[in-house]
Amino acid sequence: MIELERYSKAVAITPNDSVDLATRADAIYVGSGNWTEDTTAAQLSDPVFWLRADKGVIGTSSVSAWADQSGNGNDAANVALQNPVLSTSETLINNQAAVDFQSGDAMKVDDNNDHDFDGAFEIMVLVKFDSLGTYQAIISKDSDDSIWNLKKDNDQTIIFKANGADPATTSTVSADTWYLVGVSRTALNSIQMYLDGVADGSPVSNSTDFTTSDDMYIGKRNAGTERHLDGQIAEIIMWDKKLNTDQYAYATWYMDNRYLRGDVEHNFVDVKMTLDGDVVVQRLKRGEVHKLAPTRIWAADTNGADIIALNE
């Protein structure tokens, strides 16, 4: 990080504005900002599956469909007589909607290679458990109980059940608390659990090819005793790759800002500028000075961030 005190302010560009700089700036500073409802799949590093409860939900007292926002058409549909409810009145975070699963509710996504996971992958789910007790499936693809199942276990840890080599969190979860649950596998076949954006528990080596013809279920296990979720899901994002450090930081920043979850550590803003004669978009961390020398800056797409051009 470059010290801000080294610079004098040349011009401030407020949100929804653009400025031609009289002289090339020596650097720019990105101020405050926030998430945007127009966050795109491309900004989230092109997930293969993305459900958010404020978009694509058909029905309220009985949710019949939940449209995939990734652009891949992996829509979820209700399972007969197991329709969850769109919740907008319970204790939600930042007044965002959630889909409420109870009394045996579930939704199904037809089998697709996008969620077979024969190699690296990443999953994030924002979930709240209304009760604890026996284990509850969050997402599963395990009709013969040997593929994969992301669940809350009997001991209140979060486990990715994966054909016998099953990583789990060390931390336990409580009822009526929202958690950002995550799991990823690297190209080296190391599976790691995450809780609220932080690695939790030990990684487990597992090279299982999860390719299967099974459908994917949200809110239940589709093998033996079904083990339904008693709780709410606000958002699910899946990738068929392991996110790199910057991609993961942006995804967790998006979740934290969208749902105002505690102290936001990963604050990024996409800033459009003319740089060396080319119009480019740079993803910049806010609260820092960036050694860039633009001749024009647009602030229309900076999520409410103030941009300041600086001169040494």
Side-chain angles (χ1 to χ4, degrees):
M1 177 177 174
I2 306 169
E3 292 297 327
L4 184 60
E5 290 75 13
R6 287 180 50 193
Y7 297 88
S8 61
K9 182 173 71 174
V11 62
I13 303 94
T14 57
N16 301 311
D17 196 6
S18 62
V19 170
D20 278 315
L21 304 178
T23 59
R24 183 188 298 269
D26 295 307
I28 60 174
Y29 173 79
V30 181
S32 61
N34 210 334
W35 73 280
T36 171
E37 290 197 32
D38 296 326
T39 297
T40 65
Q43 288 174 306
L44 286 171
S45 304
D46 297 313
V48 294
F49 180 67
W50 179 18
L51 299 182
R52 45 186 282 189
D54 67 326
K55 289 195 173 188
V57 174
I58 307 299
T60 53
S61 60
S62 178
V63 174
S64 61
W66 195 355
D68 177 21
Q69 302 300 308
S70 74
N72 294 304
N74 293 316
D75 301 338
N78 70 299
V79 180
L81 303 179
Q82 296 181 331
N83 296 24
V85 174
L86 182 64
S87 176
T88 57
S89 60
E90 293 196 34
T91 304
L92 303 177
I93 36 183
N94 197 24
N95 296 314
Q96 299 299 318
V99 174
D100 193 357
F101 294 81
Q102 55 184 322
S103 302
D105 298 331
M107 302 196 77
K108 177 173 72 73
V109 181
D110 290 340
D111 174 50
N112 188 294
N113 291 337
D114 287 339
H115 39 79
D116 272 340
F117 302 144
D118 58 350
F121 66 86
E122 188 106 39
I123 302 173
M124 288 184 181
V125 185
L126 191 61
V127 60
K128 176 166 74 76
F129 303 97
D130 291 337
S131 65
L132 299 177
T134 57
Y135 99 58
Q136 301 175 28
I138 304 170
I139 311 171
S140 70
K141 196 170 185 184
D142 66 341
S143 64
D144 62 359
D145 206 25
S146 64
I147 309 303
W148 64 266
N149 178 1
L150 180 62
K151 66 178 185 177
K152 180 198 71 64
D153 208 8
N154 297 334
D155 62 0
Q156 319 318 328
T157 60
I158 304 296
I159 291 182
F160 185 74
K161 183 173 176 55
N163 200 26
D166 310 330
T169 63
T170 300
S171 302
T172 58
V173 298
S174 301
D176 299 319
T177 302
W178 284 97
Y179 294 97
L180 180 59
V181 170
V183 58
S184 68
R185 178 165 66 180
T186 68
L188 298 177
N189 297 320
S190 176
I191 303 182
Q192 174 69 60
M193 299 299 301
Y194 293 83
L195 201 59
D196 289 333
V198 178
D200 197 305
S202 300
V204 172
S205 179
N206 187 324
S207 59
T208 301
D209 182 346
F210 295 123
T211 300
T212 173
S213 60
D214 295 325
D215 297 325
M216 184 170 67
Y217 285 82
I218 302 168
K220 83 168 186 176
R221 166 190 182 226
N222 195 43
T225 304
E226 290 187 335
R227 306 295 188 183
H228 288 263
L229 171 66
D230 179 21
Q232 300 177 45
I233 294 176
E235 194 146 349
I236 303 171
I237 314 178
M238 294 183 181
W239 296 263
D240 60 353
K241 60 189 174 187
K242 172 72 176 78
L243 300 182
N244 65 34
T245 300
D246 288 343
Q247 291 169 336
Y248 186 81
Y250 187 83
T252 53
W253 167 84
Y254 160 78
M255 285 287 204
D256 286 345
N257 272 273
R258 175 165 159 68
Y259 298 97
L260 298 183
R261 303 183 64 255
D263 294 330
V264 178
E265 298 177 357
H266 308 294
N267 299 308
F268 292 84
V269 173
D270 289 334
V271 181
K272 184 178 178 182
M273 67 186 75
T274 301
L275 197 63
D276 297 325
D278 296 321
V279 177
V280 299
V281 175
Q282 295 278 338
R283 181 166 295 172
L284 305 177
K285 190 171 184 179
R286 69 188 193 193
E288 293 192 0
V289 176
H290 300 271
K291 191 67 174 178
L292 297 169
T295 55
R296 183 179 177 85
I297 301 175
W298 289 261
D301 301 315
T302 56
N303 303 349
D306 293 321
I307 311 297
I308 301 175
L310 303 172
N311 286 339
E312 288 192 283

